[in-house]
Amino acid sequence: MASGEEIRRATELLARARRPVAFTGAGVSAESGIPTFRGSGGLWENYRVEDVATPEAFERNPRLVWEFYNLRREAVFRAEPNPAHRALARLEELFPNFVLITQNVDRLHQRAGSKKVIELHGNLCEVRCTGCGRTFDKTGVRLEWPPRCAECGELLRPAVVWFGEALPLDAWRAAEEAANASDCMLVIGTSAQVYPAAGLIAMARRHGAAIVEVNLEPTAASEMAAISIYGKAAEVLPQIVEAIEWARQSGEMR
Ligand code: BJW
Ligand code: ZN
């Protein structure tokens, strides 16, 4: 359980920020019923990364890869944003320069109302043609096998970033810019093990940002954090938002 003192310290750091950034990972969606990747109950416990999340795996066995992603797509379409997603959407309203950088592919931040979202690892709603490169929005659509491009007939793939693939350049540049300019970065629900995304935390730190971590347990980011709050994102974040709203109303912080 996060203590009142921890919430107060985190709130203090965030409340005075001019350029707050949130950097999120799979833990934010855990309470929406979406499994994380690493750790017990994580996706990589039942699937080998090399079999389902690399370009080589897709070349070798597109059907197996699509089976994995169809299950994930269905779970995500059924899921609902949780109080952590909603708290982050509220922060965007409270701070004019707030930027949300996510590694998540589930689009739950956007569904909770966040507008300034930088997606580093793509998303499960869209698909991309392996032939002509066009992307298509297939939110909520059950894909036939084999899924083919309506324009050129080539095979479609999930529009996510697999291991060994470059991150979308525009998203990466925007994320670097936000991290470098940030004075407070919330690092929420990520093991901070996957690069280059995890490198944004050190980048922000180097440029003077206070790192506030919210996670169930210590991670690779913990040693960079000014404060780590160990608890569920869906419980901790609403408390921080509430404290900021309360402080603003009572004129304590501006
Ligand atoms: C809670 C909670 C609750 C739970 N509340 N918290 C060696 C060294 C350095 C780098 C490399 C290396 N070998 C290979 C690399 C590169 C590789 C990499 O980083 N590997 C590392 C694993 C070692 N990176 C890449 O390949 C990247 N590309 C690249 O480097 O390209 C180079 C290049 C340049 C130019 C041209 C060509 C190439 C791409 C990485 C793509 C990652 N993709 C995935 C899959 C997306 C699609 C899909 O969903 O299937 O992205 S992998 C997976 O990990 C997914 C996630 O976004 C990402 C991060 O995971 P995340 O979010 O941190 O989740 P978990 O499960 O790890 O952690 C969850 C956390 O939540 C835990 O800490 C829990 O405690 C916590 N938690 N419940 C709060 N309720
Ligand atoms: Zn095509």
Side-chain angles (χ1 to χ4, degrees):
M1 256 298 266
S3 73
E5 174 60 15
E6 287 170 332
I7 300 289
R8 198 188 59 75
R9 281 178 55 213
T11 303
E12 243 172 46
L13 289 172
L14 181 61
R16 71 164 88 110
R18 291 285 164 260
R19 297 192 170 276
V21 167
F23 175 59
T24 67
V28 168
S29 298
E31 275 136 285
S32 294
I34 313 271
T36 60
F37 294 91
R38 293 160 192 85
S40 79
L43 280 172
W44 299 155
E45 227 175 36
N46 296 321
Y47 296 89
R48 281 168 15 122
V49 171
E50 313 86 73
D51 290 340
V52 291
T54 65
E56 294 77 22
F58 190 69
E59 255 171 55
R60 227 174 19 242
N61 194 343
R63 189 162 192 150
L64 176 74
V65 172
W66 262 120
E67 274 167 15
F68 173 68
Y69 280 96
N70 280 336
L71 289 175
R72 307 255 319 275
R73 277 166 53 84
E74 277 167 31
V76 157
F77 298 149
R78 273 199 310 271
E80 293 295 334
N82 68 52
H85 298 107
R86 286 195 287 277
L88 288 162
R90 180 72 185 126
L91 287 180
E92 187 176 299
E93 293 172 350
L94 292 170
F95 293 89
N97 297 319
F98 186 80
V99 176
L100 176 52
I101 305 172
T102 190
Q103 301 166 87
N104 295 349
V105 293
D106 54 33
R107 286 258 160 113
L108 289 177
H109 285 306
Q110 289 91 331
R111 283 174 54 196
S114 286
K115 294 190 178 65
K116 277 187 266 170
V117 183
I118 301 173
E119 283 180 338
L120 291 178
H121 292 159
N123 66 77
L124 290 173
C125 296
E126 292 173 317
V127 297
R128 192 167 71 241
C129 176
T130 55
C132 67
R134 286 184 179 87
T135 56
F136 302 93
D137 191 331
K138 297 283 182 188
T139 309
V141 175
R142 182 182 279 269
L143 298 165
E144 299 296 321
W145 178 260
R148 297 231 172 252
C149 176
E151 298 292 328
C152 77
E154 288 297 323
L155 194 60
L156 297 168
R157 57 162 280 179
V160 296
V161 181
W162 284 324
F163 281 107
E165 292 187 316
L167 274 53
L169 192 57
D170 288 355
W172 177 248
R173 284 200 178 130
E176 270 189 319
E177 200 180 306
N180 287 336
S182 173
D183 45 7
C184 180
M185 180 185 264
L186 296 172
V187 176
I188 311 158
T190 176
S191 61
Q193 287 179 28
V194 174
Y195 282 80
L200 292 168
I201 305 165
M203 226 180 262
R205 178 81 200 83
R206 246 192 339 269
H207 285 81
I211 309 295
V212 174
E213 180 180 46
V214 179
N215 201 301
L216 293 181
E217 58 188 29
T219 69
S222 302
E223 61 181 30
M224 286 180 274
I227 173 163
S228 291
I229 304 184
Y230 299 118
K232 291 180 177 171
E235 289 172 8
V236 173
L237 291 176
Q239 291 181 54
I240 294 177
V241 169
E242 196 185 324
I244 287 179
E245 286 180 321
W246 191 87
R248 286 205 183 174
Q249 274 163 19
S250 64
E252 260 181 50
M253 296 172 193
R254 266 272 134 216

